[in-house]
Amino acid sequence: MINKRLLIKNLLAHNDECSFYDKKRQLNLHSREGKAKFLKHICALSNSNPTNNSYIVVGVEDHDNDIVGDDFFDDSRIQNLVNAFLENPPKIQYENVPFPNLPKDKVVGLVTIKPKSKTSYFKKGIHTILANTVFIRIGSNTVPVENEFEKNYQNTETVIGIENNSRNSIAYTLDGVIDFMNFRHKDMASKYKVFKELFVICWAGNPKKVREKTYFSRVDIELINEQIKLFYSAQDEVTITYDDDSFTITEYVPLGLNDKTSYYPLEKQTIYFYENGYYKIDREMLFEPPEFNKKMLFHIYNSNIALLSRLQKGLSLNEREHKDLANLPSTFMICYLNGFEEAKQKLIDAKLLLKPNAQVYLAFKESLRILRKMKYDMQ
């Protein structure tokens, strides 16, 4: 079992970016340009490593390897994005890896690209990349090539050596449990559970009971053996259930208008553990968007557009407008889910206006996360 934090350290220590790994300060999958860059690197790393894993490390400064972290990214459907644009797409996995020096809401992202013998290429264009384009890695550079190119089998032993040096140990597991419960989450209720005498899950959150059901907020859940953050949310509420073989997280999202908020189930994530040291994660989207009166929504939508205009002009807001601003990301999401197609782009375009307000910006990121999940789920 590989300790992903140790793997990242070994990748960063091995060499600068090379033909089997790349590093990024952050990913931007909200724009076509950002998606194109990400897909280009996936294509190149897959083609350059037909017999070994290749990696992208996210949340690292390019010039000095400083680990600065990035937002928790829980979109398992990122594979759908790869499948949509690449022919012979490799299987990829995105994992969130906590580091001790980072804030609780920041992680290092680890993208693992599984080996694939067939050549990957773009089956349709995106941004400036044309259909049928093939990319490979030459050193630290991602470059386009003709369809016929010589496969590289030189990385296999090096990558296997790095992975073997990143194996987990009892000491790493115990240190991880102690750090999680006694230091990083000493301010809230935290628990752990051992599955199949091998896997250890730790979780922490603020519990509250509603009609005999316990919900948790500010939730952090980690698979300690592999140093993977399975779930993190600063806003939404979740329920947690488990038995001897599985651990289930059900996430709820608060939505409402005019100060009337209800909680809607968003997604269920279940981790199944097996005796042979294997585990798998199943996800099921549960979200059914609430429907609102279109006439009322039209009025609220236009009011929020006017609110953004005031922000853009640098005008001061009154108490009611500050309250509306706090709800703006959720309101735009509701409008988009009720047929206002331009509302999502309006929300994305408002990013720089909302960023100075930490609480509103957090709600902005949560709204985009939910919309992204829904988009990939429908593909």
Side-chain angles (χ1 to χ4, degrees), residues 62-129:
D62 188 48
H63 62 284
D64 60 2
N65 275 0
D66 188 27
I67 297 174
V68 293
D70 198 6
D71 291 335
F72 179 85
F73 186 81
D74 66 343
D75 203 338
S76 62
R77 296 164 187 83
I78 197 171
Q79 180 73 57
N80 293 24
L81 174 65
V82 175
N83 294 348
F85 285 92
L86 295 185
E87 191 68 38
N88 300 322
K91 184 177 180 182
I92 69 166
Q93 186 174 19
Y94 192 105
E95 295 170 309
N96 299 276
V97 183
F99 272 72
N101 62 308
L102 296 177
K104 282 192 290 189
D105 62 333
K106 296 294 182 182
V107 293
V108 174
L110 179 66
V111 182
T112 303
I113 301 117
K114 303 292 184 180
K116 190 176 186 65
S117 59
K118 291 185 177 180
T119 299
S120 295
Y121 62 91
F122 280 77
K123 59 185 176 183
K124 59 182 179 180
I126 178 172
H127 191 49
T128 59
I129 300 174

Side-chain angles (χ1 to χ4, degrees), residues 6 89 93 104 152 169 176 183 225 247 282 286 304 311:
L6 191 56
Q93 186 174 19
K104 282 192 290 189
N152 176 15
S169 68
F183 296 99
N225 310 70
F247 186 93
D282 284 347
L286 306 173
N304 278 269
L311 282 178

Side-chain angles (χ1 to χ4, degrees), residues 303-370:
S303 296
N304 278 269
I305 294 292
L307 182 59
L308 288 177
S309 179
R310 290 184 64 83
L311 282 178
Q312 198 162 22
K313 294 175 182 176
L315 301 176
S316 59
L317 305 182
N318 59 37
E319 185 178 347
R320 179 69 238 182
E321 288 170 331
H322 276 293
K323 199 167 186 179
D324 289 341
L325 181 64
N327 295 322
L328 186 144
S330 176
T331 300
F332 270 50
M333 179 168 65
I334 288 172
C335 289
Y336 175 75
L337 296 174
N338 280 265
F340 291 69
E341 293 294 332
E342 72 281 4
K344 180 181 177 181
Q345 190 58 48
K346 291 283 187 184
L347 179 59
I348 293 172
D349 294 342
K351 177 179 179 179
L352 294 180
L353 295 174
L354 303 179
K355 199 167 186 178
N357 187 315
Q359 200 61 32
V360 176
Y361 187 58
L362 181 62
F364 163 83
K365 291 192 290 186
E366 288 286 293
S367 295
L368 287 186
R369 178 177 69 87
I370 294 166

Side-chain angles (χ1 to χ4, degrees), residues 20 35 58 71 110 130 142 213 221 227 232 270 314 326 349:
F20 62 80
K35 290 175 182 176
V58 183
D71 291 335
L110 179 66
L130 302 177
T142 295
K213 195 170 187 177
I221 304 172
Q227 290 294 343
Y232 179 83
T270 303
D349 294 342

Side-chain angles (χ1 to χ4, degrees), residues 199-239:
F199 302 97
V200 183
I201 286 186
C202 287
W203 68 96
N206 292 327
K208 71 173 182 180
K209 271 204 167 184
V210 179
R211 299 187 185 93
E212 302 303 315
K213 195 170 187 177
T214 301
Y215 295 85
F216 295 89
S217 59
R218 292 180 59 206
V219 175
D220 189 2
I221 304 172
E222 293 183 17
L223 177 60
I224 298 297
N225 310 70
E226 296 192 358
Q227 290 294 343
I228 297 171
K229 195 182 286 284
L230 295 170
F231 184 90
Y232 179 83
S233 175
Q235 284 198 328
D236 297 345
E237 303 203 6
V238 306
T239 59

Side-chain angles (χ1 to χ4, degrees), residues 12-206:
L12 296 178
H14 171 75
N15 205 337
D16 203 353
E17 294 171 316
C18 60
S19 55
F20 62 80
Y21 103 94
D22 194 11
K23 57 187 175 186
K24 299 292 175 192
R25 174 61 185 82
Q26 61 183 15
L27 296 181
N28 177 16
L29 299 182
H30 299 311
S31 68
R32 288 184 66 81
E33 181 182 3
K35 290 175 182 176
K37 287 181 179 178
F38 175 71
L39 291 165
K40 178 176 71 173
H41 293 307
I42 293 292
C43 179
L45 287 164
S46 177
N47 288 334
S48 301
N49 296 275
T51 56
N52 58 268
N53 290 333
S54 48
Y55 298 96
I56 301 175
V57 179
V58 183
V60 177
E61 292 287 7
D62 188 48
H63 62 284
D64 60 2
N65 275 0
D66 188 27
I67 297 174
V68 293
D70 198 6
D71 291 335
F72 179 85
F73 186 81
D74 66 343
D75 203 338
S76 62
R77 296 164 187 83
I78 197 171
Q79 180 73 57
N80 293 24
L81 174 65
V82 175
N83 294 348
F85 285 92
L86 295 185
E87 191 68 38
N88 300 322
K91 184 177 180 182
I92 69 166
Q93 186 174 19
Y94 192 105
E95 295 170 309
N96 299 276
V97 183
F99 272 72
N101 62 308
L102 296 177
K104 282 192 290 189
D105 62 333
K106 296 294 182 182
V107 293
V108 174
L110 179 66
V111 182
T112 303
I113 301 117
K114 303 292 184 180
K116 190 176 186 65
S117 59
K118 291 185 177 180
T119 299
S120 295
Y121 62 91
F122 280 77
K123 59 185 176 183
K124 59 182 179 180
I126 178 172
H127 191 49
T128 59
I129 300 174
L130 302 177
N132 298 316
T133 304
V134 180
F135 289 94
I136 64 167
R137 294 281 288 191
I138 299 178
S140 61
N141 297 315
T142 295
V143 297
V145 294
E146 299 298 329
N147 285 337
E148 296 297 326
F149 63 93
E150 187 175 345
K151 295 278 187 178
N152 176 15
Y153 298 94
Q154 298 176 353
N155 292 328
T156 304
E157 288 188 16
T158 302
V159 173
I160 289 174
I162 290 173
E163 291 171 344
N164 286 337
N165 287 331
S166 306
R167 296 289 172 187
N168 197 46
S169 68
I170 294 175
Y172 286 133
T173 301
L174 290 174
D175 288 345
V177 173
I178 292 170
D179 177 63
F180 185 97
M181 301 187 72
N182 293 352
F183 296 99
R184 283 190 288 133
H185 297 293
K186 60 184 178 181
D187 60 332
M188 62 176 68
S190 56
K191 295 183 179 181
Y192 75 91
K193 167 77 175 170
V194 180
F195 295 87
K196 305 301 180 185
E197 300 181 336
L198 179 62
F199 302 97
V200 183
I201 286 186
C202 287
W203 68 96
N206 292 327

